[in-house]
Amino acid sequence: MLLYPPQGPAPIKCITLDISGTITGEQQPVETVYCEGARWASRGRWEVPSEDVMRKAFSKGFHETMKEFPCFGYQAGLDSKQWWRVAVANSFRHCGTSFPTEGDFEKVFTRIYQHYAAADAYHVFDDVVPLLDWADSQGLILGVITNNTERIVLDTLPMLGLHRRFDFFVSSHALGHEKPSREIFAAAAAMGNVEPGSILHIGDTYEADYKGARAAGFKALFLSRGGEAPKEAEAIPHTIDSLSRVRELLFSHGAGG
């Protein structure tokens, strides 16, 4: 079954992708990275939280920071490093960790921030490059729409060799709006110079990526890599478990018909 056939009234001319969880994954859980950074800096001078404690604390700290400084600090004028310093501090605070000095916290934060500045902190999912190759062969415009800091666009994608594969990039940090808002999808359509109805968005967050894109007039697929999906998503034909299914579901030949 072709969900969005190329002979339809609005053939797909552009594909946009989310980044984290869709294009890239992290090699280690965040709680492991944070605890290892604290252990390295501590040298036994303070108690390092367990990974179970950190997992819950990070979730609290991240959402607390996002509430205080939405869109990764867009309105407050924070850069990526400034925002993440607050988020890391909040995460350790929720663990009950007390650093002897501000310098000790800075050592921990720097270690963590450096970890995510290295290519080996990430992996590119195996189904990404084949999709990009195929889309390029069809003459499709490719873009990124991410609820993330500019760092992932300006640093992470280039060091993974993916920046040249895309025609445009939209981040919530740079725009001041995040998925599922219409504004971020409208900005992507404008940057791609494509009507919303001719854009297919794919991402791994049901509310932000799938429902947000559909509400903005995009076509959309929900990517459920781990097989975990909201019950609402299980009932729709637009849920896929791999990007390798995009071509078979959408096109029987060139995207332009």
Side-chain angles (χ1 to χ4, degrees), residues 30 33-38 54 84 88 92 105-117 151:
V30 64
V33 175
Y34 279 44
C35 289
E36 286 184 352
M54 177 54 75
W84 276 110
V88 171
F92 278 101
F105 168 73
E106 284 299 320
K107 287 181 67 176
V108 174
F109 171 71
T110 298
R111 188 75 164 191
I112 292 169
Y113 200 75
Q114 287 175 332
H115 171 87
Y116 292 107
R151 187 189 195 199

mmCIF file with all atom_site columns, all heavy atoms in Angstrom, residues 30 33-38 54 84 88 92 105-117 151:
data_model
loop_
_atom_site.group_PDB
_atom_site.id
_atom_site.type_symbol
_atom_site.label_atom_id
_atom_site.label_alt_id
_atom_site.label_comp_id
_atom_site.label_asym_id
_atom_site.label_entity_id
_atom_site.label_seq_id
_atom_site.pdbx_PDB_ins_code
_atom_site.Cartn_x
_atom_site.Cartn_y
_atom_site.Cartn_z
_atom_site.occupancy
_atom_site.B_iso_or_equiv
_atom_site.pdbx_formal_charge
_atom_site.auth_seq_id
_atom_site.auth_comp_id
_atom_site.auth_asym_id
_atom_site.auth_atom_id
_atom_site.pdbx_PDB_model_num
ATOM 1   N N   . VAL A 1 30  ? 22.764 8.534  29.126 1.00 0.00 ? 30  VAL A N   1
ATOM 2   C CA  . VAL A 1 30  ? 23.197 9.799  29.699 1.00 0.00 ? 30  VAL A CA  1
ATOM 3   C C   . VAL A 1 30  ? 23.618 9.640  31.152 1.00 0.00 ? 30  VAL A C   1
ATOM 4   O O   . VAL A 1 30  ? 24.588 10.272 31.613 1.00 0.00 ? 30  VAL A O   1
ATOM 5   C CB  . VAL A 1 30  ? 22.079 10.868 29.558 1.00 0.00 ? 30  VAL A CB  1
ATOM 6   C CG1 . VAL A 1 30  ? 20.853 10.491 30.356 1.00 0.00 ? 30  VAL A CG1 1
ATOM 7   C CG2 . VAL A 1 30  ? 22.581 12.241 29.961 1.00 0.00 ? 30  VAL A CG2 1
ATOM 8   N N   . VAL A 1 33  ? 27.233 8.530  31.369 1.00 0.00 ? 33  VAL A N   1
ATOM 9   C CA  . VAL A 1 33  ? 28.165 9.614  31.042 1.00 0.00 ? 33  VAL A CA  1
ATOM 10  C C   . VAL A 1 33  ? 28.297 10.577 32.222 1.00 0.00 ? 33  VAL A C   1
ATOM 11  O O   . VAL A 1 33  ? 29.414 10.969 32.602 1.00 0.00 ? 33  VAL A O   1
ATOM 12  C CB  . VAL A 1 33  ? 27.693 10.378 29.791 1.00 0.00 ? 33  VAL A CB  1
ATOM 13  C CG1 . VAL A 1 33  ? 28.597 11.580 29.509 1.00 0.00 ? 33  VAL A CG1 1
ATOM 14  C CG2 . VAL A 1 33  ? 27.655 9.446  28.581 1.00 0.00 ? 33  VAL A CG2 1
ATOM 15  N N   . TYR A 1 34  ? 27.193 10.943 32.829 1.00 0.00 ? 34  TYR A N   1
ATOM 16  C CA  . TYR A 1 34  ? 27.222 11.893 33.936 1.00 0.00 ? 34  TYR A CA  1
ATOM 17  C C   . TYR A 1 34  ? 27.936 11.304 35.152 1.00 0.00 ? 34  TYR A C   1
ATOM 18  O O   . TYR A 1 34  ? 28.755 11.974 35.791 1.00 0.00 ? 34  TYR A O   1
ATOM 19  C CB  . TYR A 1 34  ? 25.796 12.314 34.314 1.00 0.00 ? 34  TYR A CB  1
ATOM 20  C CG  . TYR A 1 34  ? 25.212 13.393 33.436 1.00 0.00 ? 34  TYR A CG  1
ATOM 21  C CD1 . TYR A 1 34  ? 25.352 13.339 32.043 1.00 0.00 ? 34  TYR A CD1 1
ATOM 22  C CD2 . TYR A 1 34  ? 24.512 14.459 33.974 1.00 0.00 ? 34  TYR A CD2 1
ATOM 23  C CE1 . TYR A 1 34  ? 24.809 14.329 31.232 1.00 0.00 ? 34  TYR A CE1 1
ATOM 24  C CE2 . TYR A 1 34  ? 23.968 15.451 33.179 1.00 0.00 ? 34  TYR A CE2 1
ATOM 25  C CZ  . TYR A 1 34  ? 24.120 15.376 31.809 1.00 0.00 ? 34  TYR A CZ  1
ATOM 26  O OH  . TYR A 1 34  ? 23.580 16.359 31.012 1.00 0.00 ? 34  TYR A OH  1
ATOM 27  N N   . CYS A 1 35  ? 27.631 10.047 35.467 1.00 0.00 ? 35  CYS A N   1
ATOM 28  C CA  . CYS A 1 35  ? 28.262 9.426  36.637 1.00 0.00 ? 35  CYS A CA  1
ATOM 29  C C   . CYS A 1 35  ? 29.747 9.184  36.416 1.00 0.00 ? 35  CYS A C   1
ATOM 30  O O   . CYS A 1 35  ? 30.564 9.352  37.338 1.00 0.00 ? 35  CYS A O   1
ATOM 31  C CB  . CYS A 1 35  ? 27.550 8.123  36.982 1.00 0.00 ? 35  CYS A CB  1
ATOM 32  S SG  . CYS A 1 35  ? 25.887 8.374  37.671 1.00 0.00 ? 35  CYS A SG  1
ATOM 33  N N   . GLU A 1 36  ? 30.126 8.812  35.219 1.00 0.00 ? 36  GLU A N   1
ATOM 34  C CA  . GLU A 1 36  ? 31.549 8.621  34.931 1.00 0.00 ? 36  GLU A CA  1
ATOM 35  C C   . GLU A 1 36  ? 32.302 9.939  35.016 1.00 0.00 ? 36  GLU A C   1
ATOM 36  O O   . GLU A 1 36  ? 33.439 9.987  35.498 1.00 0.00 ? 36  GLU A O   1
ATOM 37  C CB  . GLU A 1 36  ? 31.720 7.988  33.550 1.00 0.00 ? 36  GLU A CB  1
ATOM 38  C CG  . GLU A 1 36  ? 31.361 6.513  33.514 1.00 0.00 ? 36  GLU A CG  1
ATOM 39  C CD  . GLU A 1 36  ? 31.617 5.876  32.156 1.00 0.00 ? 36  GLU A CD  1
ATOM 40  O OE1 . GLU A 1 36  ? 31.936 6.622  31.192 1.00 0.00 ? 36  GLU A OE1 1
ATOM 41  O OE2 . GLU A 1 36  ? 31.511 4.641  32.060 1.00 0.00 ? 36  GLU A OE2 1
ATOM 42  N N   . GLY A 1 37  ? 31.670 11.029 34.548 1.00 0.00 ? 37  GLY A N   1
ATOM 43  C CA  . GLY A 1 37  ? 32.306 12.342 34.656 1.00 0.00 ? 37  GLY A CA  1
ATOM 44  C C   . GLY A 1 37  ? 32.507 12.749 36.105 1.00 0.00 ? 37  GLY A C   1
ATOM 45  O O   . GLY A 1 37  ? 33.565 13.274 36.483 1.00 0.00 ? 37  GLY A O   1
ATOM 46  N N   . ALA A 1 38  ? 31.504 12.478 36.933 1.00 0.00 ? 38  ALA A N   1
ATOM 47  C CA  . ALA A 1 38  ? 31.602 12.816 38.353 1.00 0.00 ? 38  ALA A CA  1
ATOM 48  C C   . ALA A 1 38  ? 32.637 11.943 39.050 1.00 0.00 ? 38  ALA A C   1
ATOM 49  O O   . ALA A 1 38  ? 33.411 12.420 39.904 1.00 0.00 ? 38  ALA A O   1
ATOM 50  C CB  . ALA A 1 38  ? 30.241 12.650 39.021 1.00 0.00 ? 38  ALA A CB  1
ATOM 51  N N   . MET A 1 54  ? 20.751 8.870  39.013 1.00 0.00 ? 54  MET A N   1
ATOM 52  C CA  . MET A 1 54  ? 21.024 9.897  38.014 1.00 0.00 ? 54  MET A CA  1
ATOM 53  C C   . MET A 1 54  ? 19.994 9.874  36.882 1.00 0.00 ? 54  MET A C   1
ATOM 54  O O   . MET A 1 54  ? 19.619 10.917 36.347 1.00 0.00 ? 54  MET A O   1
ATOM 55  C CB  . MET A 1 54  ? 22.437 9.738  37.461 1.00 0.00 ? 54  MET A CB  1
ATOM 56  C CG  . MET A 1 54  ? 22.797 10.720 36.343 1.00 0.00 ? 54  MET A CG  1
ATOM 57  S SD  . MET A 1 54  ? 22.540 12.469 36.795 1.00 0.00 ? 54  MET A SD  1
ATOM 58  C CE  . MET A 1 54  ? 23.954 12.745 37.870 1.00 0.00 ? 54  MET A CE  1
ATOM 59  N N   . TRP A 1 84  ? 23.356 23.986 28.867 1.00 0.00 ? 84  TRP A N   1
ATOM 60  C CA  . TRP A 1 84  ? 23.665 22.662 29.391 1.00 0.00 ? 84  TRP A CA  1
ATOM 61  C C   . TRP A 1 84  ? 24.359 22.728 30.749 1.00 0.00 ? 84  TRP A C   1
ATOM 62  O O   . TRP A 1 84  ? 24.218 21.822 31.571 1.00 0.00 ? 84  TRP A O   1
ATOM 63  C CB  . TRP A 1 84  ? 24.507 21.872 28.399 1.00 0.00 ? 84  TRP A CB  1
ATOM 64  C CG  . TRP A 1 84  ? 23.658 21.193 27.363 1.00 0.00 ? 84  TRP A CG  1
ATOM 65  C CD1 . TRP A 1 84  ? 23.563 21.497 26.037 1.00 0.00 ? 84  TRP A CD1 1
ATOM 66  C CD2 . TRP A 1 84  ? 22.755 20.110 27.597 1.00 0.00 ? 84  TRP A CD2 1
ATOM 67  N NE1 . TRP A 1 84  ? 22.658 20.668 25.422 1.00 0.00 ? 84  TRP A NE1 1
ATOM 68  C CE2 . TRP A 1 84  ? 22.147 19.801 26.358 1.00 0.00 ? 84  TRP A CE2 1
ATOM 69  C CE3 . TRP A 1 84  ? 22.400 19.368 28.723 1.00 0.00 ? 84  TRP A CE3 1
ATOM 70  C CZ2 . TRP A 1 84  ? 21.200 18.788 26.221 1.00 0.00 ? 84  TRP A CZ2 1
ATOM 71  C CZ3 . TRP A 1 84  ? 21.453 18.355 28.597 1.00 0.00 ? 84  TRP A CZ3 1
ATOM 72  C CH2 . TRP A 1 84  ? 20.875 18.075 27.360 1.00 0.00 ? 84  TRP A CH2 1
ATOM 73  N N   . VAL A 1 88  ? 22.965 20.425 33.693 1.00 0.00 ? 88  VAL A N   1
ATOM 74  C CA  . VAL A 1 88  ? 23.827 19.474 34.402 1.00 0.00 ? 88  VAL A CA  1
ATOM 75  C C   . VAL A 1 88  ? 23.820 19.780 35.907 1.00 0.00 ? 88  VAL A C   1
ATOM 76  O O   . VAL A 1 88  ? 23.719 18.873 36.738 1.00 0.00 ? 88  VAL A O   1
ATOM 77  C CB  . VAL A 1 88  ? 25.263 19.505 33.843 1.00 0.00 ? 88  VAL A CB  1
ATOM 78  C CG1 . VAL A 1 88  ? 26.209 18.690 34.719 1.00 0.00 ? 88  VAL A CG1 1
ATOM 79  C CG2 . VAL A 1 88  ? 25.281 18.969 32.411 1.00 0.00 ? 88  VAL A CG2 1
ATOM 80  N N   . PHE A 1 92  ? 22.518 17.153 38.970 1.00 0.00 ? 92  PHE A N   1
ATOM 81  C CA  . PHE A 1 92  ? 23.267 16.726 40.156 1.00 0.00 ? 92  PHE A CA  1
ATOM 82  C C   . PHE A 1 92  ? 22.593 17.210 41.440 1.00 0.00 ? 92  PHE A C   1
ATOM 83  O O   . PHE A 1 92  ? 22.634 16.524 42.463 1.00 0.00 ? 92  PHE A O   1
ATOM 84  C CB  . PHE A 1 92  ? 24.714 17.203 40.077 1.00 0.00 ? 92  PHE A CB  1
ATOM 85  C CG  . PHE A 1 92  ? 25.582 16.319 39.231 1.00 0.00 ? 92  PHE A CG  1
ATOM 86  C CD1 . PHE A 1 92  ? 25.917 16.677 37.940 1.00 0.00 ? 92  PHE A CD1 1
ATOM 87  C CD2 . PHE A 1 92  ? 26.055 15.103 39.726 1.00 0.00 ? 92  PHE A CD2 1
ATOM 88  C CE1 . PHE A 1 92  ? 26.712 15.847 37.153 1.00 0.00 ? 92  PHE A CE1 1
ATOM 89  C CE2 . PHE A 1 92  ? 26.847 14.267 38.960 1.00 0.00 ? 92  PHE A CE2 1
ATOM 90  C CZ  . PHE A 1 92  ? 27.175 14.634 37.656 1.00 0.00 ? 92  PHE A CZ  1
ATOM 91  N N   . PHE A 1 105 ? 32.688 21.359 40.324 1.00 0.00 ? 105 PHE A N   1
ATOM 92  C CA  . PHE A 1 105 ? 31.554 21.206 39.402 1.00 0.00 ? 105 PHE A CA  1
ATOM 93  C C   . PHE A 1 105 ? 31.988 21.502 37.973 1.00 0.00 ? 105 PHE A C   1
ATOM 94  O O   . PHE A 1 105 ? 31.584 20.803 37.036 1.00 0.00 ? 105 PHE A O   1
ATOM 95  C CB  . PHE A 1 105 ? 30.391 22.127 39.783 1.00 0.00 ? 105 PHE A CB  1
ATOM 96  C CG  . PHE A 1 105 ? 29.347 22.195 38.698 1.00 0.00 ? 105 PHE A CG  1
ATOM 97  C CD1 . PHE A 1 105 ? 28.502 21.119 38.458 1.00 0.00 ? 105 PHE A CD1 1
ATOM 98  C CD2 . PHE A 1 105 ? 29.252 23.317 37.867 1.00 0.00 ? 105 PHE A CD2 1
ATOM 99  C CE1 . PHE A 1 105 ? 27.564 21.164 37.430 1.00 0.00 ? 105 PHE A CE1 1
ATOM 100 C CE2 . PHE A 1 105 ? 28.329 23.367 36.841 1.00 0.00 ? 105 PHE A CE2 1
ATOM 101 C CZ  . PHE A 1 105 ? 27.475 22.285 36.625 1.00 0.00 ? 105 PHE A CZ  1
ATOM 102 N N   . GLU A 1 106 ? 32.799 22.528 37.778 1.00 0.00 ? 106 GLU A N   1
ATOM 103 C CA  . GLU A 1 106 ? 33.239 22.882 36.427 1.00 0.00 ? 106 GLU A CA  1
ATOM 104 C C   . GLU A 1 106 ? 34.025 21.748 35.783 1.00 0.00 ? 106 GLU A C   1
ATOM 105 O O   . GLU A 1 106 ? 33.918 21.516 34.574 1.00 0.00 ? 106 GLU A O   1
ATOM 106 C CB  . GLU A 1 106 ? 34.078 24.162 36.455 1.00 0.00 ? 106 GLU A CB  1
ATOM 107 C CG  . GLU A 1 106 ? 33.257 25.431 36.625 1.00 0.00 ? 106 GLU A CG  1
ATOM 108 C CD  . GLU A 1 106 ? 32.256 25.644 35.492 1.00 0.00 ? 106 GLU A CD  1
ATOM 109 O OE1 . GLU A 1 106 ? 32.611 25.378 34.326 1.00 0.00 ? 106 GLU A OE1 1
ATOM 110 O OE2 . GLU A 1 106 ? 31.116 26.047 35.770 1.00 0.00 ? 106 GLU A OE2 1
ATOM 111 N N   . LYS A 1 107 ? 34.818 21.037 36.593 1.00 0.00 ? 107 LYS A N   1
ATOM 112 C CA  . LYS A 1 107 ? 35.554 19.890 36.058 1.00 0.00 ? 107 LYS A CA  1
ATOM 113 C C   . LYS A 1 107 ? 34.590 18.809 35.574 1.00 0.00 ? 107 LYS A C   1
ATOM 114 O O   . LYS A 1 107 ? 34.785 18.222 34.498 1.00 0.00 ? 107 LYS A O   1
ATOM 115 C CB  . LYS A 1 107 ? 36.493 19.321 37.121 1.00 0.00 ? 107 LYS A CB  1
ATOM 116 C CG  . LYS A 1 107 ? 37.726 20.167 37.410 1.00 0.00 ? 107 LYS A CG  1
ATOM 117 C CD  . LYS A 1 107 ? 38.601 19.508 38.457 1.00 0.00 ? 107 LYS A CD  1
ATOM 118 C CE  . LYS A 1 107 ? 39.227 18.214 37.952 1.00 0.00 ? 107 LYS A CE  1
ATOM 119 N NZ  . LYS A 1 107 ? 40.162 17.630 38.945 1.00 0.00 ? 107 LYS A NZ  1
ATOM 120 N N   . VAL A 1 108 ? 33.557 18.546 36.366 1.00 0.00 ? 108 VAL A N   1
ATOM 121 C CA  . VAL A 1 108 ? 32.565 17.542 35.988 1.00 0.00 ? 108 VAL A CA  1
ATOM 122 C C   . VAL A 1 108 ? 31.827 17.975 34.729 1.00 0.00 ? 108 VAL A C   1
ATOM 123 O O   . VAL A 1 108 ? 31.680 17.203 33.774 1.00 0.00 ? 108 VAL A O   1
ATOM 124 C CB  . VAL A 1 108 ? 31.565 17.303 37.136 1.00 0.00 ? 108 VAL A CB  1
ATOM 125 C CG1 . VAL A 1 108 ? 30.450 16.353 36.683 1.00 0.00 ? 108 VAL A CG1 1
ATOM 126 C CG2 . VAL A 1 108 ? 32.269 16.753 38.355 1.00 0.00 ? 108 VAL A CG2 1
ATOM 127 N N   . PHE A 1 109 ? 31.379 19.224 34.736 1.00 0.00 ? 109 PHE A N   1
ATOM 128 C CA  . PHE A 1 109 ? 30.629 19.718 33.576 1.00 0.00 ? 109 PHE A CA  1
ATOM 129 C C   . PHE A 1 109 ? 31.473 19.682 32.314 1.00 0.00 ? 109 PHE A C   1
ATOM 130 O O   . PHE A 1 109 ? 30.999 19.252 31.251 1.00 0.00 ? 109 PHE A O   1
ATOM 131 C CB  . PHE A 1 109 ? 30.129 21.143 33.825 1.00 0.00 ? 109 PHE A CB  1
ATOM 132 C CG  . PHE A 1 109 ? 29.548 21.759 32.581 1.00 0.00 ? 109 PHE A CG  1
ATOM 133 C CD1 . PHE A 1 109 ? 28.327 21.321 32.081 1.00 0.00 ? 109 PHE A CD1 1
ATOM 134 C CD2 . PHE A 1 109 ? 30.240 22.746 31.888 1.00 0.00 ? 109 PHE A CD2 1
ATOM 135 C CE1 . PHE A 1 109 ? 27.803 21.854 30.908 1.00 0.00 ? 109 PHE A CE1 1
ATOM 136 C CE2 . PHE A 1 109 ? 29.730 23.294 30.731 1.00 0.00 ? 109 PHE A CE2 1
ATOM 137 C CZ  . PHE A 1 109 ? 28.508 22.844 30.230 1.00 0.00 ? 109 PHE A CZ  1
ATOM 138 N N   . THR A 1 110 ? 32.715 20.123 32.409 1.00 0.00 ? 110 THR A N   1
ATOM 139 C CA  . THR A 1 110 ? 33.584 20.134 31.229 1.00 0.00 ? 110 THR A CA  1
ATOM 140 C C   . THR A 1 110 ? 33.779 18.729 30.680 1.00 0.00 ? 110 THR A C   1
ATOM 141 O O   . THR A 1 110 ? 33.745 18.509 29.468 1.00 0.00 ? 110 THR A O   1
ATOM 142 C CB  . THR A 1 110 ? 34.950 20.756 31.574 1.00 0.00 ? 110 THR A CB  1
ATOM 143 O OG1 . THR A 1 110 ? 34.751 22.115 31.978 1.00 0.00 ? 110 THR A OG1 1
ATOM 144 C CG2 . THR A 1 110 ? 35.884 20.724 30.370 1.00 0.00 ? 110 THR A CG2 1
ATOM 145 N N   . ARG A 1 111 ? 33.967 17.776 31.591 1.00 0.00 ? 111 ARG A N   1
ATOM 146 C CA  . ARG A 1 111 ? 34.149 16.382 31.166 1.00 0.00 ? 111 ARG A CA  1
ATOM 147 C C   . ARG A 1 111 ? 32.922 15.882 30.408 1.00 0.00 ? 111 ARG A C   1
ATOM 148 O O   . ARG A 1 111 ? 33.035 15.227 29.363 1.00 0.00 ? 111 ARG A O   1
ATOM 149 C CB  . ARG A 1 111 ? 34.396 15.510 32.396 1.00 0.00 ? 111 ARG A CB  1
ATOM 150 C CG  . ARG A 1 111 ? 34.791 14.078 32.075 1.00 0.00 ? 111 ARG A CG  1
ATOM 151 C CD  . ARG A 1 111 ? 36.226 13.995 31.599 1.00 0.00 ? 111 ARG A CD  1
ATOM 152 N NE  . ARG A 1 111 ? 36.718 12.623 31.643 1.00 0.00 ? 111 ARG A NE  1
ATOM 153 C CZ  . ARG A 1 111 ? 37.982 12.287 31.482 1.00 0.00 ? 111 ARG A CZ  1
ATOM 154 N NH1 . ARG A 1 111 ? 38.888 13.220 31.274 1.00 0.00 ? 111 ARG A NH1 1
ATOM 155 N NH2 . ARG A 1 111 ? 38.357 11.023 31.522 1.00 0.00 ? 111 ARG A NH2 1
ATOM 156 N N   . ILE A 1 112 ? 31.755 16.194 30.935 1.00 0.00 ? 112 ILE A N   1
ATOM 157 C CA  . ILE A 1 112 ? 30.505 15.763 30.294 1.00 0.00 ? 112 ILE A CA  1
ATOM 158 C C   . ILE A 1 112 ? 30.315 16.465 28.955 1.00 0.00 ? 112 ILE A C   1
ATOM 159 O O   . ILE A 1 112 ? 29.983 15.835 27.939 1.00 0.00 ? 112 ILE A O   1
ATOM 160 C CB  . ILE A 1 112 ? 29.307 16.042 31.229 1.00 0.00 ? 112 ILE A CB  1
ATOM 161 C CG1 . ILE A 1 112 ? 29.380 15.130 32.457 1.00 0.00 ? 112 ILE A CG1 1
ATOM 162 C CG2 . ILE A 1 112 ? 27.983 15.853 30.496 1.00 0.00 ? 112 ILE A CG2 1
ATOM 163 C CD1 . ILE A 1 112 ? 28.409 15.507 33.556 1.00 0.00 ? 112 ILE A CD1 1
ATOM 164 N N   . TYR A 1 113 ? 30.543 17.756 28.932 1.00 0.00 ? 113 TYR A N   1
ATOM 165 C CA  . TYR A 1 113 ? 30.338 18.524 27.701 1.00 0.00 ? 113 TYR A CA  1
ATOM 166 C C   . TYR A 1 113 ? 31.324 18.083 26.618 1.00 0.00 ? 113 TYR A C   1
ATOM 167 O O   . TYR A 1 113 ? 30.969 18.000 25.438 1.00 0.00 ? 113 TYR A O   1
ATOM 168 C CB  . TYR A 1 113 ? 30.500 20.022 27.995 1.00 0.00 ? 113 TYR A CB  1
ATOM 169 C CG  . TYR A 1 113 ? 29.861 20.912 26.952 1.00 0.00 ? 113 TYR A CG  1
ATOM 170 C CD1 . TYR A 1 113 ? 28.471 21.065 26.908 1.00 0.00 ? 113 TYR A CD1 1
ATOM 171 C CD2 . TYR A 1 113 ? 30.641 21.599 26.028 1.00 0.00 ? 113 TYR A CD2 1
ATOM 172 C CE1 . TYR A 1 113 ? 27.874 21.891 25.970 1.00 0.00 ? 113 TYR A CE1 1
ATOM 173 C CE2 . TYR A 1 113 ? 30.047 22.429 25.082 1.00 0.00 ? 113 TYR A CE2 1
ATOM 174 C CZ  . TYR A 1 113 ? 28.677 22.567 25.059 1.00 0.00 ? 113 TYR A CZ  1
ATOM 175 O OH  . TYR A 1 113 ? 28.086 23.381 24.107 1.00 0.00 ? 113 TYR A OH  1
ATOM 176 N N   . GLN A 1 114 ? 32.548 17.776 27.020 1.00 0.00 ? 114 GLN A N   1
ATOM 177 C CA  . GLN A 1 114 ? 33.538 17.280 26.060 1.00 0.00 ? 114 GLN A CA  1
ATOM 178 C C   . GLN A 1 114 ? 33.141 15.920 25.495 1.00 0.00 ? 114 GLN A C   1
ATOM 179 O O   . GLN A 1 114 ? 33.404 15.630 24.322 1.00 0.00 ? 114 GLN A O   1
ATOM 180 C CB  . GLN A 1 114 ? 34.914 17.178 26.727 1.00 0.00 ? 114 GLN A CB  1
ATOM 181 C CG  . GLN A 1 114 ? 35.593 18.518 26.971 1.00 0.00 ? 114 GLN A CG  1
ATOM 182 C CD  . GLN A 1 114 ? 36.898 18.356 27.737 1.00 0.00 ? 114 GLN A CD  1
ATOM 183 O OE1 . GLN A 1 114 ? 37.065 17.408 28.503 1.00 0.00 ? 114 GLN A OE1 1
ATOM 184 N NE2 . GLN A 1 114 ? 37.824 19.287 27.543 1.00 0.00 ? 114 GLN A NE2 1
ATOM 185 N N   . HIS A 1 115 ? 32.537 15.101 26.322 1.00 0.00 ? 115 HIS A N   1
ATOM 186 C CA  . HIS A 1 115 ? 32.115 13.776 25.856 1.00 0.00 ? 115 HIS A CA  1
ATOM 187 C C   . HIS A 1 115 ? 31.227 13.904 24.627 1.00 0.00 ? 115 HIS A C   1
ATOM 188 O O   . HIS A 1 115 ? 31.410 13.179 23.635 1.00 0.00 ? 115 HIS A O   1
ATOM 189 C CB  . HIS A 1 115 ? 31.355 13.042 26.966 1.00 0.00 ? 115 HIS A CB  1
ATOM 190 C CG  . HIS A 1 115 ? 30.709 11.765 26.515 1.00 0.00 ? 115 HIS A CG  1
ATOM 191 N ND1 . HIS A 1 115 ? 31.374 10.559 26.515 1.00 0.00 ? 115 HIS A ND1 1
ATOM 192 C CD2 . HIS A 1 115 ? 29.458 11.512 26.031 1.00 0.00 ? 115 HIS A CD2 1
ATOM 193 C CE1 . HIS A 1 115 ? 30.572 9.619  26.043 1.00 0.00 ? 115 HIS A CE1 1
ATOM 194 N NE2 . HIS A 1 115 ? 29.409 10.162 25.749 1.00 0.00 ? 115 HIS A NE2 1
ATOM 195 N N   . TYR A 1 116 ? 30.290 14.838 24.687 1.00 0.00 ? 116 TYR A N   1
ATOM 196 C CA  . TYR A 1 116 ? 29.341 14.998 23.581 1.00 0.00 ? 116 TYR A CA  1
ATOM 197 C C   . TYR A 1 116 ? 29.905 15.827 22.428 1.00 0.00 ? 116 TYR A C   1
ATOM 198 O O   . TYR A 1 116 ? 29.211 16.068 21.434 1.00 0.00 ? 116 TYR A O   1
ATOM 199 C CB  . TYR A 1 116 ? 28.030 15.592 24.099 1.00 0.00 ? 116 TYR A CB  1
ATOM 200 C CG  . TYR A 1 116 ? 27.289 14.630 24.999 1.00 0.00 ? 116 TYR A CG  1
ATOM 201 C CD1 . TYR A 1 116 ? 27.237 14.821 26.379 1.00 0.00 ? 116 TYR A CD1 1
ATOM 202 C CD2 . TYR A 1 116 ? 26.680 13.500 24.467 1.00 0.00 ? 116 TYR A CD2 1
ATOM 203 C CE1 . TYR A 1 116 ? 26.573 13.925 27.202 1.00 0.00 ? 116 TYR A CE1 1
ATOM 204 C CE2 . TYR A 1 116 ? 26.009 12.599 25.284 1.00 0.00 ? 116 TYR A CE2 1
ATOM 205 C CZ  . TYR A 1 116 ? 25.959 12.820 26.650 1.00 0.00 ? 116 TYR A CZ  1
ATOM 206 O OH  . TYR A 1 116 ? 25.305 11.911 27.461 1.00 0.00 ? 116 TYR A OH  1
ATOM 207 N N   . ALA A 1 117 ? 31.150 16.236 22.562 1.00 0.00 ? 117 ALA A N   1
ATOM 208 C CA  . ALA A 1 117 ? 31.832 16.932 21.468 1.00 0.00 ? 117 ALA A CA  1
ATOM 209 C C   . ALA A 1 117 ? 32.654 15.965 20.623 1.00 0.00 ? 117 ALA A C   1
ATOM 210 O O   . ALA A 1 117 ? 33.298 16.370 19.659 1.00 0.00 ? 117 ALA A O   1
ATOM 211 C CB  . ALA A 1 117 ? 32.738 18.038 22.009 1.00 0.00 ? 117 ALA A CB  1
ATOM 212 N N   . ARG A 1 151 ? 24.170 23.387 18.648 1.00 0.00 ? 151 ARG A N   1
ATOM 213 C CA  . ARG A 1 151 ? 25.371 22.557 18.649 1.00 0.00 ? 151 ARG A CA  1
ATOM 214 C C   . ARG A 1 151 ? 25.206 21.289 17.821 1.00 0.00 ? 151 ARG A C   1
ATOM 215 O O   . ARG A 1 151 ? 26.127 20.856 17.108 1.00 0.00 ? 151 ARG A O   1
ATOM 216 C CB  . ARG A 1 151 ? 25.722 22.192 20.085 1.00 0.00 ? 151 ARG A CB  1
ATOM 217 C CG  . ARG A 1 151 ? 27.054 21.472 20.241 1.00 0.00 ? 151 ARG A CG  1
ATOM 218 C CD  . ARG A 1 151 ? 27.215 20.967 21.661 1.00 0.00 ? 151 ARG A CD  1
ATOM 219 N NE  . ARG A 1 151 ? 28.586 20.589 21.948 1.00 0.00 ? 151 ARG A NE  1
ATOM 220 C CZ  . ARG A 1 151 ? 28.959 19.806 22.945 1.00 0.00 ? 151 ARG A CZ  1
ATOM 221 N NH1 . ARG A 1 151 ? 28.057 19.320 23.766 1.00 0.00 ? 151 ARG A NH1 1
ATOM 222 N NH2 . ARG A 1 151 ? 30.220 19.525 23.157 1.00 0.00 ? 151 ARG A NH2 1
#
